[in-house]
Amino acid sequence: MSERAGLTRLTGNGNGECGQGDCPNVYRTPSGSFVVQGDVSGAFTPPQGEGLVEIPESVLREAVRALGW
Protein backbone atom coordinates (compact mmCIF):
# COMPACT_ATOMS: atom_id res chain seq x y z
CA MET A 1 0.00 0.00 0.00
CA SER A 2 1.32 3.44 -0.91
CA GLU A 3 2.12 5.85 1.87
CA ARG A 4 0.07 8.34 -0.16
CA ALA A 5 -3.05 6.16 -0.11
CA GLY A 6 -6.12 8.24 0.60
CA LEU A 7 -4.55 11.44 -0.74
CA THR A 8 -5.74 13.06 -3.96
CA ARG A 9 -2.80 14.31 -6.00
CA LEU A 10 -3.69 17.72 -7.45
CA THR A 11 -0.46 18.39 -9.34
CA GLY A 12 2.21 16.61 -11.34
CA ASN A 13 1.23 14.26 -14.13
CA GLY A 14 4.68 12.71 -14.53
CA ASN A 15 5.35 14.50 -17.80
CA GLY A 16 7.12 17.51 -16.32
CA GLU A 17 10.44 18.08 -14.61
CA CYS A 18 10.34 14.81 -12.70
CA GLY A 19 8.07 11.80 -12.84
CA GLN A 20 9.33 9.54 -10.09
CA GLY A 21 6.77 10.78 -7.57
CA ASP A 22 9.33 13.03 -5.91
CA CYS A 23 8.38 16.34 -7.52
CA PRO A 24 6.95 19.38 -5.83
CA ASN A 25 3.28 18.45 -5.47
CA VAL A 26 0.09 19.36 -3.67
CA TYR A 27 -2.25 16.68 -2.30
CA ARG A 28 -5.71 16.91 -0.74
CA THR A 29 -6.55 14.73 2.24
CA PRO A 30 -9.92 13.02 2.79
CA SER A 31 -10.69 15.64 5.47
CA GLY A 32 -10.12 18.48 2.96
CA SER A 33 -6.75 19.71 4.20
CA PHE A 34 -3.64 19.86 2.01
CA VAL A 35 -0.24 18.20 2.04
CA VAL A 36 2.54 20.01 0.19
CA GLN A 37 5.63 18.17 -1.05
CA GLY A 38 8.64 20.26 -2.02
CA ASP A 39 12.19 21.27 -1.30
CA VAL A 40 12.96 21.89 2.36
CA SER A 41 13.15 25.62 3.04
CA GLY A 42 15.40 27.39 5.50
CA ALA A 43 13.45 30.68 5.40
CA PHE A 44 12.93 30.55 9.19
CA THR A 45 12.90 27.97 11.96
CA PRO A 46 9.38 26.61 12.40
CA PRO A 47 8.03 25.38 15.73
CA GLN A 48 8.99 21.86 16.79
CA GLY A 49 7.01 19.25 14.87
CA GLU A 50 6.45 21.51 11.86
CA GLY A 51 8.40 21.91 8.64
CA LEU A 52 8.73 24.33 5.74
CA VAL A 53 8.82 23.40 2.06
CA GLU A 54 9.22 25.49 -1.07
CA ILE A 55 7.24 24.73 -4.22
CA PRO A 56 7.13 26.64 -7.50
CA GLU A 57 4.25 29.03 -8.20
CA SER A 58 3.30 26.87 -11.19
CA VAL A 59 2.54 23.95 -8.82
CA LEU A 60 0.17 26.09 -6.71
CA ARG A 61 -1.55 27.35 -9.86
CA GLU A 62 -1.98 23.75 -11.06
CA ALA A 63 -3.53 22.78 -7.70
CA VAL A 64 -5.96 25.70 -7.88
CA ARG A 65 -7.00 24.68 -11.42
CA ALA A 66 -7.47 21.05 -10.31
CA LEU A 67 -9.84 22.25 -7.57
CA GLY A 68 -11.76 24.48 -10.01
CA TRP A 69 -11.15 27.63 -7.93
Side-chain angles (χ1 to χ4, degrees):
M1 176 183 258
S2 169
E3 60 196 40
R4 296 178 191 143
L7 299 178
T8 301
R9 187 173 175 166
L10 300 175
T11 58
N13 60 14
N15 295 327
E17 58 195 71
C18 50
Q20 303 300 315
D22 58 352
C23 317
N25 280 302
V26 178
Y27 300 86
R28 192 163 201 184
T29 69
S31 66
S33 63
F34 297 92
V35 175
V36 178
Q37 176 186 1
D39 294 329
V40 175
S41 173
F44 64 90
T45 302
Q48 187 172 359
E50 296 183 6
L52 305 175
V53 298
E54 285 188 51
I55 62 170
E57 179 181 335
S58 61
V59 174
L60 290 178
R61 288 181 180 276
E62 186 180 350
V64 168
R65 280 194 303 273
L67 291 167
W69 292 353

